[in-house]
């Protein structure tokens, strides 16, 4: 797979390309590679011409029929030809060629020569060149190449060509087998130590010298008899000069220096990064092939998790993907990024913001990875507008259960792209994702809307969703009689009287406490500006409000002084590590439950009576328009209308049997009200019950198509062993000791401190 749009645009904007090939040495000559400048452009022949040439997959090259390149192509084709439909027999190999096209856009002069660079657009194409001898195709190619040089020139020339002219002209047809584009935009990338040396900076100029091709006024030939420059030619020269100048200015003037002077403005992965990635994927594929040969099922070790499911899997049959943790490419022009699956959200946002971009759906817990968001049905406050996180993924690279590496996109293997979303990694190992980005802003303007009950909260959410200006939307119900609906608009504007609230520092309030304060004794909406990055990860400190349960467990006062003093331990990364080590997760309800809006009030009334857990999180969702294991796929109830996700997180019954019974009853009520749950959490369904909720026929058929039988099924991954869970009041000596307060909790804190996760949590720039 390659970026057709970028590659073809660069080639067509560089009509004089350089073609490399290997040629047999003439007698007495050394063997050297040959590089020739040739006229060329892309095409879709023999299909009808495309209005958008970004999907063309052929390059035509023009030259003299007597040139060595043409003779080599004819010889390589066995003396044959490309037929009228562009077909070449399987015995005709063609000449292996590499086509390079480069446009210089600017000279980048940094503070020190080591960081000097150029702004440029470059494309490299690999393929086999075949000599075209069919007159119809040759005429088509010559017209295409001519008009690519100057639009409408063919029609305003002496045509058609004579037979001898056609025979003396050589046309090569190169089928694109692989290609890549590399683009460098923006301003200088400086070292931090240089930026701190203000005295040196006052004496050294740094910046960009724009570079672009300027077309001069047409000069008539001595043989010309036509009076005046034709209108089509004069207009083209003027338009092209203006277009090139504007395009070059846009490439040079970026926000790198405003966002992060130390950011690397290289937007496309280097050859080394690509090679390192391919080697890592090759190792993973080889490991999987070995398991497949042995008929051995395996699981995936990501290196970290934000799942609240108990981790019970044991054994050595794991595929390690923990090294796939880099942002490989950020393409400002296309507003996309290439990301390995174990990149956490804060690292991804940290990488995209210097380019003035941000993912449209950002999981509120910064440690959640890109791969986890794709495979685990992540819904956030922008999901009412963009859908679940997986809806922002343009394509994924995946290693199947037999070791084959495939690309899943909207153009190929689309059923796998859609089916793997929310399927908990049960179709293959995701190794790379392309994610859509949107323009970032400095702030989010939050509106805190007070509501006095559950019905009003549900109604307000539905109303605010209809406002096109709303970019983010969620709600917090503090009780059955008090709640806040919080909407956000992205903005770069700040009025004089607006206040700015942050949430990342130890001295800042936890977001849910601040939201409650903003609506206390209020009957009207209150607005406030929040820096974008603070908003995106506003629930990190305290993990929404679940951090308050740790204060209760350790019988520690819960106030702003204790929260500030213990801040290092209340970032979500640290809390997940501590909770997993403490073995206390089985005492807490942790579920995200999606229902049609008309059923939401009844369900919340049920949870209030049965569990008495407050606050609750409300997050409206845009339904998925195709079948998946995520809540409310196309075949589910209410698929045509938005749905409401309800976050139910709190203390469950203390007895093991009571805890299981409460979760089973919660799932029963959810199904009764046509709801579905996100599968990141505990699942207490029996297997039959589980597949009555989710589409087993579709799932099994897709698994069979892509040979995923050696991977655990979705049910295998999310189920809780009911017999073990009910008998948890017994267990091993270690289990019994850990249930004695505060031993399990203290051990969890020790493991979290020892892991140094708190350092990672505070790495995000700006803390």
């Amino acid at each position: 797979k390659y970026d057709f749009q970028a590659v073809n645009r660069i080639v067509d904007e560089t009509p004089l390309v350089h073609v490399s090939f290997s040629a047999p040495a003439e007698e007495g000559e050394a063997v050297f590679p040959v590089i020739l400048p040739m006229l060329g452009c892309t095409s879709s022949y023999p299909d009808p011409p495309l209005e958008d040439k970004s999907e063309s997959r052929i390059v035509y090259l023009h030259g003299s029929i007597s040139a060595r390149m043409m003779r080599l192509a004819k010889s390589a084709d066995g003396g044959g030809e490309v037929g009228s439909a562009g077909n070449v027999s399987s015995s005709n190999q063609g000449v292996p060629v590499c086509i390079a096209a480069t446009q210089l856009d600017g000279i980048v002069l940094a503070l020190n020569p080591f960081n000097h660079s150029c702004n440029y657009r470059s494309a490299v194409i690999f393929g086999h060149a075949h000599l075209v001898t069919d007159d119809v195709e040759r005429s088509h190619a010559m017209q295409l190449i001519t008009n690519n040089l100057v639009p409408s020139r063919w029609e305003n020339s002496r045509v058609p060509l004579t037979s001898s002219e056609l025979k003396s002209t050589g046309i090569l047809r190169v089928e694109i087998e692989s290609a890549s584009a590399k683009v460098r935009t923006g301003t200088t990338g400086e070292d931090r130590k240089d930026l701190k040396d203000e005295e040196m900076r006052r004496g050294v100029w740094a910046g960009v010298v724009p570079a672009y091709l300027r077309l001069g006024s047409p000069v008539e030939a001595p043989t010309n008899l036509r009076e005046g420059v034709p209108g089509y030619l004069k207009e083209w020269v003027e338009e092209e000069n203006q277009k090139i100048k504007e395009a070059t200015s846009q490439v040079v003037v970026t926000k790198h220096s405003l966002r992060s002077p130390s950011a690397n403005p290289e937007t496309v992965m280097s050859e080394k990064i690509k090679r390192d990635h391919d080697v890592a994927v090759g190792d993973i594929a080889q490991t999987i092939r070995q398991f497949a040969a042995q008929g051995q099922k395996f699981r995936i070790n990501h290196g970290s998790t934000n799942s609240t499911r108990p981790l019970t899997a044991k054994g050595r049959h794991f595929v390690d993907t923990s090294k796939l943790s880099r942002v490989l490419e950020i393409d400002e022009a296309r507003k996309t990024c290439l990301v390995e699956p174990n990149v956490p959200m804060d690292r991804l946002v940290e990488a995209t913001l210097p380019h003035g971009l941000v993912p449209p759906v950002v999981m509120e817990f910064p440690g959640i990875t890109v791969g986890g968001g794709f495979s685990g049905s992540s819904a956030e406050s922008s999901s009412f507008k963009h859908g679940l996180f997986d809806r922002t993924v343009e394509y994924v690279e995946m290693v199947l259960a037999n070791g084959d590496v495939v690309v899943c996109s909207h153009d190929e293997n689309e059923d796998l792209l859609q089916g793997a979303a929310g399927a908990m990694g049960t179709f293959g190992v995701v190794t790379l994702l392309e994610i859509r980005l949107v323009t970032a802003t400095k702030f989010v303007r939050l509106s805190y809307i007070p509501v006095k009950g559950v019905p009003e909260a549900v109604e307000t959410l539905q109303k605010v969703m209809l406002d096109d200006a709303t970019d983010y939307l969620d709600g917090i119900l503090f009780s059955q009689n008090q709640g806040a609906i919080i909407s956000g608009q992205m903005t770069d504007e700040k009025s004089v009287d607006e206040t700015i609230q942050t949430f990342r520092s130890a001295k800042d309030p936890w977001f849910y406490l601040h939201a409650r304060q903003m609506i206390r004794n209020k009957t009207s909406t209150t607005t406030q500006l929040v820096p974008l990055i603070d908003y995106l990860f506003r629930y990190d400190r305290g993990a929404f409000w679940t951090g308050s349960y740790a204060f209760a467990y350790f019988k520690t006062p819960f106030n702003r002084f204790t929260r500030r003093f213990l801040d290092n331990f209340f970032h979500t990364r640290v809390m997940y590590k501590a909770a997993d080590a403490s073995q206390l997760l089985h005492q807490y309800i942790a579920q995200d439950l999606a229902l049609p809006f008309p059923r939401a009030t009844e369900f919340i009334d049920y949870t209030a009576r049965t569990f008495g857990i407050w606050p609750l999180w409300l997050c409206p969702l845009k339904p998925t328009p195709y079948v998946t294991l995520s809540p409310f796929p196309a075949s589910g109830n209410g698929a045509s209308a938005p749905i409401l996700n309800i976050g139910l997180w709190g203390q469950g019954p203390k007895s093991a049997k009571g805890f299981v019974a409460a979760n089973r009853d919660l799932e029963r009520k959810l199904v009764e009200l046509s709801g579905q749950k996100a599968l990141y959490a505990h699942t207490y369904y029996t297997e039959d019950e589980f597949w009555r909720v989710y589409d087993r026929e579709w799932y099994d058929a897709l698994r069979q198509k892509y040979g995923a039988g050696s991977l655990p099924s979705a049910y295998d991954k999310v189920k809780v062993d009911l017999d073990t869970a009910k008998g948890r009041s017994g267990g091993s000596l270690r289990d019994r000791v850990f249930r004695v307060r505060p031993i399990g909790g203290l051990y969890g804190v020790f493991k979290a401190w020892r892991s140094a996760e708190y350092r990672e949590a505070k790495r995000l720039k700006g803390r």
Side-chain angles (χ1 to χ4, degrees):
K1 180 180 176 67
Y2 66 90
D3 185 345
F4 294 108
Q5 183 177 8
V7 169
N8 294 348
R9 184 175 63 246
I10 293 170
V11 170
D12 289 336
E13 291 177 356
T14 315
L16 193 65
V17 298
H18 284 84
V19 183
S20 304
F21 60 96
S22 297
E26 301 289 345
E27 186 175 351
E29 291 183 354
V31 178
F32 292 111
V34 179
I35 302 176
L36 296 176
M38 300 182 75
L39 294 175
C41 68
T42 63
S43 173
S44 59
Y45 191 87
D47 297 324
L50 298 173
E51 290 185 12
D52 178 7
K53 291 186 65 181
S54 64
E55 290 300 315
S56 300
R57 305 195 184 193
I58 298 168
V59 176
Y60 283 123
L61 299 173
H62 171 279
S64 171
I65 193 64
S66 61
R68 179 162 53 164
M69 181 68 182
M70 303 296 172
R71 289 186 278 113
L72 283 173
K74 185 174 183 178
S75 176
D77 286 339
E81 64 181 48
V82 179
S84 60
N87 298 318
V88 182
S89 70
S90 59
S91 62
N92 297 340
Q93 299 299 314
V95 178
V97 298
C98 174
I99 303 171
T102 301
Q103 293 279 339
L104 177 66
D105 294 321
I107 310 298
V108 182
L109 304 176
L111 291 172
N112 74 75
F114 179 78
N115 289 325
H116 282 19
S117 186
C118 291
N119 284 341
Y120 62 92
R121 290 159 287 145
S122 178
V124 176
I125 292 174
F126 297 95
H128 286 81
H130 301 275
L131 184 63
V132 178
T133 58
D134 177 74
D135 287 345
V136 174
E137 184 175 2
R138 275 200 302 176
S139 180
H140 161 81
M142 293 174 68
Q143 179 176 348
L144 201 65
I145 292 171
T146 301
N147 285 340
N148 190 60
L149 275 173
V150 178
S152 303
R153 180 57 184 172
W154 180 270
E155 295 79 5
N156 288 279
S157 302
R158 194 269 294 158
V159 288
L161 300 182
T162 66
S163 176
S164 61
E165 287 170 338
L166 279 173
K167 288 181 179 180
S168 65
T169 302
I171 296 293
L172 294 175
R173 174 191 175 106
V174 180
E175 302 279 352
I176 302 176
E177 297 182 17
S178 66
S180 63
K182 191 173 183 181
V183 179
R184 202 274 188 196
T185 65
T187 187
T188 60
E190 308 287 6
D191 295 334
R192 288 185 181 276
K193 63 179 181 180
D194 287 338
L195 292 174
K196 294 178 181 179
D197 190 345
E198 293 189 6
E199 183 177 354
M200 178 272 291
R201 288 169 62 190
R202 291 190 186 97
V204 179
W205 187 90
V208 178
V209 180
Y212 51 89
L213 176 68
R214 179 175 178 82
L215 301 174
S217 300
V219 179
E220 66 179 29
T223 56
N224 177 67
L225 296 180
R226 190 193 192 283
E227 293 185 5
V229 178
Y232 76 92
L233 184 58
K234 184 177 180 180
E235 291 175 4
W236 173 72
V237 169
E238 293 174 352
E239 292 174 0
E240 195 70 8
N241 281 336
Q242 183 63 26
K243 181 176 66 175
I244 293 173
K245 187 173 182 179
E246 290 176 356
T248 306
S249 299
Q250 291 171 4
V251 168
V252 172
V253 181
T254 67
K255 297 181 180 179
H256 293 308
S257 59
L258 299 177
R259 299 282 182 172
S260 174
S262 62
N264 178 9
E266 190 75 56
T267 63
V268 183
M269 73 176 86
S270 69
E271 288 301 319
K272 182 181 185 305
I273 291 176
K274 184 179 186 303
R275 184 168 61 251
D276 291 346
H277 172 80
D278 290 343
V279 169
V281 173
D283 291 342
I284 292 170
Q286 179 60 29
T287 301
I288 291 175
R289 278 192 287 269
Q290 292 173 356
F291 284 141
Q294 301 166 6
Q296 177 63 57
K297 289 192 174 185
F298 62 88
R299 287 178 179 259
I300 305 166
N301 173 32
H302 305 286
S304 65
T305 181
N306 277 250
S307 173
T308 59
R309 298 192 308 274
L311 304 178
T312 57
K314 298 180 180 180
R316 295 174 295 173
H317 305 297
F318 282 87
V319 173
D320 185 7
T321 67
S322 58
K323 293 182 180 179
L324 296 178
S325 57
R326 296 171 300 175
V327 179
L328 301 186
E329 169 186 318
I330 298 172
D331 190 325
E332 293 182 357
R334 296 177 58 242
K335 292 188 177 181
T336 60
C337 61
L338 280 178
V339 191
E340 291 178 326
N342 293 318
V343 173
M345 292 311 297
D346 54 354
R347 299 290 88 84
L348 177 59
V349 170
E350 192 176 61
T352 63
L353 279 183
H355 299 268
L357 299 169
V358 70
V361 178
V362 176
M363 287 75 87
E364 279 100 343
F365 290 178
I368 296 178
T369 62
V370 171
F374 174 76
S375 298
S377 303
S378 290
E380 312 306 336
S381 59
S382 59
S383 291
F384 80 97
K385 190 171 189 175
H386 299 284
L388 301 180
F389 175 78
D390 58 72
R391 295 293 308 282
T392 70
V393 175
E394 295 296 310
Y395 80 80
V396 301
E397 176 187 72
M398 183 183 297
V399 183
L400 300 180
N402 64 357
D404 288 347
V405 181
V406 299
V407 168
C408 317
S409 70
H410 300 296
D411 298 320
E412 54 182 318
N413 302 319
E414 185 176 32
D415 56 349
L416 183 57
L417 174 69
Q418 296 173 350
M424 316 305 295
T426 60
F427 284 96
V429 180
V430 173
T431 54
L432 187 67
L433 305 94
E434 182 181 70
I435 300 170
R436 189 173 74 252
L437 303 174
V438 297
T439 301
T441 57
K442 294 180 182 179
F443 305 107
V444 176
R445 180 173 287 110
L446 290 187
S447 297
Y448 300 85
I449 308 170
V451 293
K452 297 186 179 300
V454 176
E456 184 182 353
V458 173
E459 180 182 350
T460 303
L461 282 171
Q462 290 178 291
K463 180 180 178 180
V464 177
M465 285 172 60
L466 300 178
D467 185 351
D468 291 337
T470 302
D471 296 303
Y472 300 103
L473 179 63
D474 67 341
I476 304 173
L477 282 175
F478 299 102
S479 68
Q480 282 187 300
N481 301 315
Q482 184 190 47
I485 302 304
I486 308 150
S487 66
Q489 296 180 358
M490 301 178 76
T491 182
D492 286 314
E493 304 297 327
K494 178 188 179 300
S495 63
V496 176
D497 58 343
E498 281 188 298
T499 61
I500 297 177
Q501 177 64 54
T502 58
F503 296 105
R504 288 182 290 154
S505 170
K507 68 179 184 298
D508 292 332
W510 289 8
F511 180 76
Y512 92 98
L513 294 172
H514 178 74
R516 185 166 63 186
Q517 184 64 33
M518 292 295 287
I519 63 161
R520 180 165 292 166
N521 301 321
K522 301 281 179 59
T523 58
S524 59
T525 300
T526 305
T527 62
Q528 189 176 56
L529 284 181
V530 176
L532 176 62
I533 201 165
D534 288 71
Y535 175 79
L536 295 176
F537 302 120
R538 65 201 181 281
Y539 288 118
D540 176 36
R541 296 170 55 251
F544 284 90
W545 38 84
T546 58
S548 64
Y549 304 139
F551 284 85
Y553 174 86
F554 287 109
K555 298 185 178 180
T556 301
F558 183 66
N559 56 52
R560 62 189 179 93
F561 301 107
T562 55
R563 288 193 296 273
R564 182 169 183 175
F565 179 72
L566 297 170
D567 184 70
N568 281 346
F569 293 97
F570 285 92
H571 294 274
T572 48
R573 277 188 174 93
V574 184
M575 291 180 62
Y576 271 112
K577 180 69 72 174
D580 181 51
S582 70
Q583 300 185 24
L584 295 174
L585 285 174
H586 63 268
Q587 299 180 17
Y588 291 87
I589 305 288
Q591 303 283 358
D592 275 89
L593 311 144
L595 300 98
F597 265 91
R599 301 295 187 94
T601 298
E602 181 180 354
F603 183 75
I604 293 172
D605 289 343
Y606 158 80
T607 63
R609 293 192 309 271
T610 308
F611 298 96
I613 292 175
W614 303 100
L616 298 178
W617 188 49
L618 307 180
C619 182
L621 309 178
K622 182 179 182 179
T624 302
Y626 42 77
V627 181
T628 74
L629 292 182
S630 298
F632 283 96
S635 60
N637 293 324
S640 61
I643 53 179
L644 182 62
N645 179 79
I646 299 169
L648 181 69
W649 314 309
Q651 178 78 49
K654 293 185 177 180
S655 74
K657 290 183 178 179
F659 187 83
V660 171
N663 276 279
R664 294 271 296 153
D665 191 62
L666 176 66
E667 292 175 344
R668 176 199 60 77
K669 188 65 175 180
L670 184 66
V671 172
E672 177 187 316
L673 297 179
S674 303
Q676 294 181 354
K677 64 194 298 184
L679 298 180
Y680 75 84
H682 301 74
T683 298
Y684 292 83
Y685 295 115
T686 66
E687 188 167 9
D688 286 341
E689 291 169 341
F690 181 87
W691 290 117
R692 283 200 293 270
V693 176
Y694 302 97
D695 191 334
R696 184 168 197 167
E697 182 178 355
W698 158 81
Y699 178 75
D700 285 347
L702 195 61
R703 289 248 297 175
Q704 182 177 4
K705 176 179 177 180
Y706 289 100
S710 57
L711 287 166
S713 71
Y715 180 72
D716 291 335
K717 293 200 70 171
V718 303
K719 69 179 180 181
V720 170
D721 188 308
L722 296 181
D723 292 334
T724 301
K726 290 177 181 177
R728 194 169 273 129
S729 55
S732 66
L733 175 61
R734 175 190 171 96
D735 292 339
R736 293 196 298 272
V737 169
F738 270 49
R739 281 196 296 272
V740 177
R741 181 184 293 182
I743 294 176
L746 287 173
Y747 181 74
V749 171
F750 167 73
K751 293 290 285 186
W753 170 79
R754 191 175 181 183
S755 73
E757 286 286 352
Y758 64 89
R759 296 177 185 172
E760 183 69 17
K762 298 177 79 67
R763 248 188 67 198
L764 185 61
K765 291 181 180 179
R767 283 206 189 281

